[in-house]
Amino acid sequence: MEKTRLELIAKMPRIKFKFEEELKGYSFTKTGGVADVIAFPKTIIEVYEIVNYCRLENIEYTVLGNASNLIISDKGLRGITIILTDMNDVRIFDDRIVAAAGAELIHTCYQALSENLTGLEFASGIPGTVGGAVFMNAGAYNGQIADAVESVEVVLPDGELKTFNAEEAKFGYRDSIFQHIGAIILNVTFKLKKGDRREIETQMRELTDARIEKQPLEFPSCGSVFKRPEGYFAGKLIQDAGLQGYTVGGAKVSEKHAGFIVNIGGATAEDYKAVIKHVQETVLAKEGVALETEVKILGE
Ligand SMILES: Cc1cc2nc3c(=O)[nH]c(=O)nc-3n(C[C@H](O)[C@H](O)[C@H](O)COP(=O)(O)OP(=O)(O)OC[C@H]3O[C@@H](n4cnc5c(N)ncnc54)[C@H](O)[C@@H]3O)c2cc1C
């Protein structure tokens, strides 16, 4: 990026910036080359300042939460990479939770438990941020984030601040309107219900145990790589196609859960992409089903 460090620091002095930093240190797959600039806003105003600056200076930007659903290019990201994890306030008002986009979803679920609020138990093992979960309409064990969302506050690429209700968010399977309008999610209000603390806690524990038993959590990964095709399970198709253990470089189709591609050491984004392509081609040839990625692939 042409802009000098000094200019960014001078124009937005309160915002923490890092320059020429490898993104693999931030991503769950441990892939990702060098970002020109990373910004860590702590408030809505700071996000707004960055978006406005980028618009006026014609600089591209990319938003990351916990980077738990991403494969970031080995060539890194141009422009400003906005990482929202320093914006992580969670507040409870009776049966509502207002969480900043960068708050850990898991932390938010435990905050709900602390107030005997039910409705987020299904999400208590999803390692993303609240913003990333709403963007993706993350889901598990018959639950999806859409069911708990009341409203979502965003900033649009033209700098407009806007609030969407759940209907306007147009949630679909691992989809939301925010994926199609370039919105940055800033705050999310969840509407939950008072419940029985012991029941909420038991369900959260059981789901966590199920994850530990079924998922290869001992390796870096981005969770399930593929969306569930209508009428099938991606993991089962991959298993039936004999692809478990298939490896390119450091990226391997997990033997514990075929839907996961794990980094067994030194995997690059290119390794991941090669495994994904091979899995898609093989499943299509052997099982006749086209697998679509759930994971987002960012950068060149
Ligand atoms: C071990 C493991 C288990 C997982 N289990 C599940 C599961 O059960 N169910 C499930 O659905 N997912 C699961 N995931 C995937 C992932 O945790 C979710 O998709 C999560 O919601 C992503 O949140 P994030 O903050 O990490 O988003 P990121 O990975 O940082 O970003 C994902 C996308 O969202 C965008 N984004 C992030 N934050 C914002 C924001 N504030 N505003 C606008 N855009 C934003 C990014 O640009 C990117 O396109 C799992 C991942 C792992 C590693």
Side-chain angles (χ1 to χ4, degrees):
M1 198 169 87
E2 307 270 319
K3 294 286 158 195
T4 62
R5 299 171 181 215
L6 285 177
E7 181 178 321
L8 283 171
I9 294 165
K11 288 209 165 153
M12 293 177 273
R14 286 168 308 181
I15 300 176
K16 179 172 135 194
F17 290 104
K18 287 189 176 178
F19 301 91
E20 304 286 330
E21 171 116 338
E22 279 206 317
L23 286 160
K24 65 170 67 155
Y26 296 91
S27 85
F28 265 64
T29 53
K30 304 289 170 218
T31 62
V34 173
D36 293 339
V37 180
I38 308 180
F40 299 87
K42 287 188 288 302
T43 62
I44 289 180
I45 306 271
E46 291 181 5
V47 177
Y48 186 77
E49 271 179 51
I50 298 166
V51 171
N52 265 334
Y53 177 81
C54 289
R55 191 178 74 248
L56 294 173
E57 300 288 337
N58 205 17
I59 293 170
E60 59 184 300
Y61 59 84
T62 309
V63 185
L64 305 188
N66 261 352
S68 65
N69 198 44
L70 292 178
I71 294 164
I72 305 173
S73 163
D74 301 320
K75 294 185 179 156
L77 295 176
R78 305 289 70 81
I80 300 184
T81 303
I82 306 171
I83 298 189
L84 291 176
T85 47
D86 285 354
M87 213 170 88
N88 52 25
D89 203 30
V90 178
R91 287 169 199 232
I92 303 186
F93 304 94
D94 196 18
D95 58 355
R96 286 184 169 80
I97 296 186
V98 180
E104 297 266 355
L105 185 60
I106 294 174
H107 170 68
T108 308
C109 295
Y110 278 88
Q111 291 291 101
L113 169 66
S114 73
E115 293 294 323
N116 306 334
L117 292 171
T118 178
L120 280 177
E121 294 87 328
F122 74 90
S124 59
I126 301 178
T129 59
V130 164
V134 168
F135 187 87
M136 294 301 304
N137 187 17
Y141 305 110
N142 296 323
Q144 54 172 355
I145 215 78
D147 300 335
V149 168
E150 183 174 65
S151 62
V152 183
E153 201 181 331
V154 308
V155 59
L156 296 170
D158 64 2
E160 185 193 353
L161 289 170
K162 195 169 170 189
T163 302
F164 289 73
N165 64 32
E167 200 185 319
E168 290 164 338
K170 293 198 169 53
F171 288 113
Y173 173 62
R174 300 295 171 268
D175 194 18
S176 70
I177 193 169
F178 311 113
Q179 298 188 20
H180 310 284
I181 58 173
I184 302 183
I185 296 163
L186 302 168
N187 260 317
V188 177
T189 301
F190 296 106
K191 175 90 165 67
L192 304 173
K193 287 198 178 96
K194 283 284 178 194
D196 179 78
R197 186 190 176 89
R198 214 176 306 164
E199 277 177 26
I200 298 168
E201 199 168 18
T202 303
Q203 203 187 349
M204 284 167 70
R205 204 179 34 243
E206 282 174 6
L207 296 183
T208 303
D209 289 348
R211 278 180 190 272
I212 294 168
E213 194 194 321
K214 297 203 174 98
Q215 299 182 355
L217 301 178
E218 61 280 24
F219 292 105
S221 81
C222 48
S224 296
V225 172
F226 302 99
K227 291 184 180 175
R228 194 181 56 233
E230 190 115 21
Y232 299 92
F233 289 102
K236 174 88 170 57
L237 289 168
I238 297 166
Q239 198 175 332
D240 291 350
L243 287 162
Q244 281 179 291
Y246 178 78
T247 306
V248 176
K252 176 180 180 183
V253 178
S254 167
E255 274 133 350
K256 190 170 178 186
H257 185 315
F260 281 53
I261 299 175
V262 292
N263 181 348
I264 53 169
T268 62
E270 288 306 310
D271 294 342
Y272 263 91
K273 286 191 223 168
V275 174
I276 288 171
K277 188 163 176 276
H278 181 74
V279 168
Q280 286 174 320
E281 286 171 357
T282 310
V283 169
L284 185 60
K286 288 197 177 173
E287 316 284 331
V289 181
L291 290 178
E292 197 189 323
T293 49
E294 172 181 324
V295 63
K296 302 281 180 198
I297 299 171
L298 295 186
E300 225 180 281

